[in-house]
Amino acid sequence: MVLDSEGGVQGLLAAQAGPLPLAPVKAATELIWWIEPHARGRAALAMLDAYEAWARDRGCVFANMVGLGSDPLPARLYESRGYIAAERHYSKTL
């Protein structure tokens, strides 16, 4: 999904949909989500609405998002939409 406005592309949300490896159900998983800081706010809600509709249209029974933990705003947004925390991702530059 692309967030496009008069100023051009302001954000994107890329995801995949498919069966879970250990369960006979389909899930959507966010791969990349970015919205330019000046374009955030209601745009995030609209993009989540579109993502969830896309996932439902593909027969997914779960929608997954990633929250890196360093910014509390995504956690509040996801929780307000009914998502529950399942894990945090960490990475290290070698």
Side-chain angles (χ1 to χ4, degrees):
M1 286 152 253
V2 175
L3 176 61
D4 201 0
S5 70
E6 295 175 14
V9 174
Q10 302 298 311
L12 66 95
L13 194 158
Q16 65 181 15
L20 291 173
L22 301 175
V25 296
K26 286 179 73 175
T29 301
E30 167 242 346
L31 302 171
I32 301 167
W33 190 22
W34 176 256
I35 301 174
E36 292 292 340
H38 69 274
R40 294 177 184 170
R42 288 248 174 257
L45 297 174
M47 290 187 85
L48 271 178
D49 285 341
Y51 167 62
E52 292 167 6
W54 174 85
R56 278 190 294 277
D57 288 346
R58 278 149 188 80
C60 296
V61 294
F62 294 103
N64 299 312
M65 299 295 292
V66 175
L68 298 179
S70 60
D71 186 344
L73 291 176
R76 286 201 309 262
L77 171 62
Y78 299 153
E79 289 170 359
S80 74
R81 296 286 299 236
Y83 289 82
I84 59 171
E87 65 181 73
R88 285 174 62 174
H89 295 250
Y90 295 88
S91 63
K92 177 182 176 181
T93 302
L94 301 176

